[in-house]
Amino acid sequence: MLEGASLRASHSVLLEPIRVGGVTLPNRLVMGSMHTNLEAHPERFAELGRFYAERARGGAGLIVTGGFAPNVAGRMHDGPCLFVSDEQAEAHRAIVDPVHAAGGRIILQILHAGRYGYHDAIVAPSPIRAPINRASPAALSTEEIEQTIRDYANTAALAVKAGYDGVEVMGSEGYLISEFLAPRTNKRDDAWGGSLENRGRFPIAVVKAVREALGDGPILSFRISALELVDDGLTDDEIVWLAGRIEEAGADCLSTGIGWHESTVPTIAGSVPHGAFADAARRIRQAVSIPVTASNRINLPDDAARIVAEGSADLVSMARPFLADAEFVNKVRDGKDDLINVCIACNQACLDHYFTGEVISCLVNPRAAREGAFTDEPAPAKKRIAVVGGGVAGIAAALEARRRGHHVTLYEAAPAIGGQFTLAGRIPGKEDYAIAVDHLARQLDEAGVEVVTGRHVDIDTLGRENFDEVVVATGIAPRAIGIPGADDPRVVGYTEILDGTATAGQRVVIIGGGGIGHDVALFLAHGEHEHAPTTDEFRRRWGIESEQVLPKASRSITMVKRSPGHFGRTLGKTTGWILRQELKDFGVRQIAEATYVGIDAQGLHIRVNGQDEVLAADTIVVCAGQESENALADVLTARGQSVHVIGGARLAGELDAKRAMHEGAILGNRM
Ligand code: NAP
Ligand code: SF4
């Protein structure tokens, strides 16, 4: 237990107040802008207000909303995610007032999506289609540009009317303002294109107009692209020039963004080292006298504190980590940073939801943006609850049930909790999963859940303890394959490879093309993976301001599956492309539509399009999915015990940590 813990000295730099424009922020930690998919639903603004208020109560120094468009053309989607009228200002009160009541500060992000909008009316400086959009934008006329500047100012004035503490002008990531600035997207030959001065005219005019609309008190933050990561974007020198002009135009702070959405370099995925882009923020900070905010892949207080302490930035913006833990700042303040629910950069419940139109949440924090679905009321009757299985489903159930006052015992057969999450933590780029498990273990301890590891509980143990309820979260067992010769000693399961009980040879064949097959291929291509890549290694790998140096695969790897179609179609929308690219660069061979004939001393025999082939292999790794492990539930039910089956034990198909944690949390909260 952490009783008596106090703020760690190295973190104190994060809790120093800072003046931004006319507002004093109590600390350096900003909840950055993130779309929730509630922005387009004014009737649900109360949910948004509750979501942000929770973060304000948790200590966020400043909150930035998801983007709202200043006009119809600037919307991200075909819905009403714009902010242009007094009536809407009234509706925004449902967002702002709860944050202020919770003692927080919130600014509205004004986002004109430019050619990234997904609707028919998109506009840009020039009619050039974005590689990530099917629709082509119309080029803005001079009159439309001038009207757009007035529209920004109008939305800023409405934001103040709604009670916001200021606004952030989104000027990075490839949206309209980036499109004006970059030669890549601005081919105009009038006063708004050509020279840097002309290309910079639009953002500078927007900032001046917004400043005028806001007056002196409210915050004017400008989100500036600190690193473009696209061809024909702004150079570093041009970015520094722009930073100075934006300061002169009246911005109170510069929040740094990294890369355009069409960049083919990872910027927020797990494979990006923590704080990898702090240098880009530092370059800007050295050129201006207003506060600068660093962002991207900063998910732990140690990294945030280092960035501020070494002078790379004055503030640190985190969006996803505030989804993962609303109490982030309070835990830092209380010296309980090892209780922080760690964002694992999976994007599965946040960005991937956003792109499918679902309201976002968080894999490791199912309460995020679902606050209303959970209660913090103590349970009317305190029960004795056993949770069998210490994977993430069981952990979530145990924490929520304990939160309501029940006595909870969590049993795990393995020597430590974590289950599949711990195995995932061995994959390059998923190192944060292991940190997350450590922090979950600390949360269980702090909450007072009794954790029993290394003990395989059976019905007799449970019966003796006389539990009121038993939660079976025993997870999954890897699926066995029915291929002749599968008992060959060269055939191993993915769990043995990842936990180190089996070692792969030089020629590896992987059976299965799902998420785990891809992960295992990456793990084995990297070789004995001992450390997460350093920032320098990462920059060289992706050719960021340096020549690209691709790593060599440490062994030859072939992936095989029976179904037709490309490999990797089931991977996450916003992260799958990175994994596919990495395996391609490692030269991993992929064979679809294979029939498995058998395994013998020569290797794996397959048939593809009527042709026989032998894949020579020293090791054949089975990544053929999973089956539920729920035998205990059947026995308990037969004895009349009240049983709840969750996670992989309930449904192994598409084994899914997001679903598992959600099921566990909901069940635990309703017990
Ligand atoms: P999966 O995605 O269901 O893939 C299982 C693979 O095994 C399939 O490619 C299937 O291919 C093959 N297979 C199934 N039954 C087989 C059999 N009897 N014999 C031989 N091959 C068989 O399962 P997974 O790879 O274990 O991943 C589980 C879940 O974890 C996924 O749904 C995903 O959500 C998640 N995950 C995602 C990621 C990521 O996105 N990066 C990483 C890890 C895990 P054929 O039927 O074509 O042969
Ligand atoms: Fe982070 Fe994943 Fe949660 Fe998104 S869903 S906030 S990436 S842990």
Side-chain angles (χ1 to χ4, degrees), residues 1-3 336 338-340 399 417 436-448:
M1 300 279 251
L2 274 173
E3 269 164 38
K336 296 184 173 182
D338 59 352
L339 296 178
I340 287 173
L399 284 171
I417 62 160
V437 170
D438 285 348
H439 285 218
L440 287 168
R442 291 288 306 111
Q443 288 176 46
L444 289 167
D445 184 29
E446 173 84 355

Side-chain angles (χ1 to χ4, degrees), residues 162-344:
Y164 283 103
D165 298 287
V167 299
E168 175 167 280
V169 172
M170 167 47 105
S172 70
E173 265 101 327
Y175 295 113
L176 184 71
I177 287 180
S178 296
E179 292 158 19
F180 265 98
L181 284 160
R184 173 184 184 82
T185 39
N186 186 343
K187 308 289 182 194
R188 301 178 75 98
D189 55 10
D190 59 6
W192 306 96
S195 66
L196 175 61
E197 203 169 60
N198 280 0
R199 285 182 276 122
R201 196 179 298 277
F202 179 71
I204 292 165
V206 167
V207 171
K208 282 183 177 164
V210 168
R211 179 80 276 167
E212 206 180 316
L214 290 176
D216 280 343
I219 295 172
L220 199 179
S221 168
F222 183 86
R223 180 97 170 156
I224 188 168
S225 181
L227 202 56
E228 298 270 79
L229 301 179
V230 289
D231 292 338
D232 295 326
L234 292 186
T235 64
D236 293 347
D237 288 346
E238 289 174 333
I239 289 169
V240 164
W241 173 86
L242 176 69
R245 302 296 79 71
I246 295 293
E247 178 179 14
E248 284 166 12
D252 296 316
C253 66
L254 295 172
S255 174
T256 55
I258 304 295
W260 289 35
H261 289 318
E262 64 203 65
S263 303
T264 51
V265 173
T267 55
I268 57 167
S271 53
V272 180
H274 293 178
F277 302 110
D279 278 359
R282 187 187 189 88
R283 215 165 24 229
I284 291 176
R285 186 170 187 259
Q286 285 168 345
V288 296
S289 56
I290 51 178
V292 170
T293 307
S295 73
N296 284 54
R297 277 297 277 150
I298 305 165
N299 64 344
L300 295 171
D302 284 357
D303 301 314
R306 195 185 60 247
I307 287 167
V308 175
E310 71 191 14
S312 296
D314 304 281
L315 297 128
V316 171
S317 167
M318 297 182 285
R320 296 174 299 171
F322 274 105
L323 284 185
D325 199 330
E327 291 279 325
F328 193 104
V329 180
N330 286 348
K331 287 178 181 175
V332 172
R333 177 174 294 116
D334 295 344
K336 296 184 173 182
D337 46 293
D338 59 352
L339 296 178
I340 287 173
N341 223 19
V342 177
C343 166
I344 54 174

Side-chain angles (χ1 to χ4, degrees), residues 55-186:
R55 274 80 199 153
R57 258 189 299 279
L62 178 69
I63 293 169
V64 189
T65 66
F68 285 87
N71 59 29
V72 170
R75 291 167 305 156
M76 276 301 292
H77 291 284
D78 225 350
C81 50
L82 76 171
F83 188 1
V84 294
S85 69
D86 283 344
E87 197 188 351
Q88 285 164 334
E90 199 49 45
H92 274 259
R93 281 271 168 204
I95 301 172
V96 177
D97 291 349
V99 173
H100 287 161
R105 292 139 299 278
I106 183 165
I107 62 176
L108 177 105
Q109 189 184 74
I110 309 176
L111 168 98
H112 190 302
R115 67 179 193 158
Y116 282 168
Y118 294 107
H119 54 83
D120 290 340
I122 58 173
V123 296
S126 303
I128 304 167
R129 188 176 65 80
I132 55 170
N133 202 343
R134 291 208 182 104
S136 292
L140 285 162
S141 67
T142 302
E143 293 71 32
E144 286 169 331
I145 292 173
E146 287 165 354
Q147 182 57 49
T148 303
I149 294 165
R150 287 193 290 275
D151 292 339
Y152 272 94
N154 175 50
T155 299
L158 289 170
V160 173
K161 212 173 213 176
Y164 283 103
D165 298 287
V167 299
E168 175 167 280
V169 172
M170 167 47 105
S172 70
E173 265 101 327
Y175 295 113
L176 184 71
I177 287 180
S178 296
E179 292 158 19
F180 265 98
L181 284 160
R184 173 184 184 82
T185 39
N186 186 343

Side-chain angles (χ1 to χ4, degrees), residues 320-321 323-324 342-351 361-364:
R320 296 174 299 171
L323 284 185
V342 177
C343 166
I344 54 174
C346 65
N347 290 353
Q348 273 177 258
C350 51
L351 281 185
S361 187
C362 173
L363 185 148
V364 298

Side-chain angles (χ1 to χ4, degrees), residues 250-540:
D252 296 316
C253 66
L254 295 172
S255 174
T256 55
I258 304 295
W260 289 35
H261 289 318
E262 64 203 65
S263 303
T264 51
V265 173
T267 55
I268 57 167
S271 53
V272 180
H274 293 178
F277 302 110
D279 278 359
R282 187 187 189 88
R283 215 165 24 229
I284 291 176
R285 186 170 187 259
Q286 285 168 345
V288 296
S289 56
I290 51 178
V292 170
T293 307
S295 73
N296 284 54
R297 277 297 277 150
I298 305 165
N299 64 344
L300 295 171
D302 284 357
D303 301 314
R306 195 185 60 247
I307 287 167
V308 175
E310 71 191 14
S312 296
D314 304 281
L315 297 128
V316 171
S317 167
M318 297 182 285
R320 296 174 299 171
F322 274 105
L323 284 185
D325 199 330
E327 291 279 325
F328 193 104
V329 180
N330 286 348
K331 287 178 181 175
V332 172
R333 177 174 294 116
D334 295 344
K336 296 184 173 182
D337 46 293
D338 59 352
L339 296 178
I340 287 173
N341 223 19
V342 177
C343 166
I344 54 174
C346 65
N347 290 353
Q348 273 177 258
C350 51
L351 281 185
D352 288 352
H353 273 207
Y354 174 70
F355 284 113
T356 53
E358 252 183 282
V359 173
I360 65 160
S361 187
C362 173
L363 185 148
V364 298
N365 177 20
R367 284 179 171 240
R370 307 275 188 283
E371 283 77 12
F374 289 81
T375 175
D376 282 327
E377 292 296 314
K382 306 286 178 277
K383 299 179 198 165
R384 286 173 48 76
I385 296 171
V387 178
V388 187
V392 289
I395 293 171
L399 284 171
E400 283 289 350
R402 180 70 195 131
R403 202 163 162 162
R404 298 211 60 208
H406 299 298
H407 180 276
V408 183
T409 307
L410 176 72
Y411 294 101
E412 168 56 48
I417 62 160
Q420 300 289 307
F421 236 58
T422 301
L423 284 181
R426 301 262 297 143
I427 310 289
K430 290 193 171 177
E431 292 82 1
D432 284 349
Y433 284 58
I435 303 173
V437 170
D438 285 348
H439 285 218
L440 287 168
R442 291 288 306 111
Q443 288 176 46
L444 289 167
D445 184 29
E446 173 84 355
V449 173
E450 190 184 340
V451 178
V452 182
T453 53
R455 181 135 148 240
H456 201 95
V457 285
D458 55 19
I459 180 127
D460 295 328
T461 328
L462 293 172
R464 273 197 302 278
E465 297 287 340
N466 209 12
F467 289 106
D468 299 309
E469 313 254 6
V470 177
V471 178
V472 174
T474 39
I476 51 87
R479 179 180 288 128
I481 46 166
I483 303 171
D487 55 354
D488 188 288
R490 287 166 303 168
V491 179
V492 296
Y494 70 87
T495 56
E496 294 151 87
I497 288 290
L498 292 178
D499 71 14
T501 51
T503 315
Q506 271 306 302
R507 298 166 304 169
V508 174
V509 171
I510 293 173
I511 292 179
I516 289 180
H518 282 75
D519 275 357
V520 168
L522 187 70
F523 174 81
L524 291 174
H526 270 275
E528 278 55 51
H529 178 73
E530 281 172 1
H531 70 277
T534 63
T535 294
D536 282 346
E537 287 168 344
F538 166 75
R539 292 171 80 90
R540 281 197 297 278

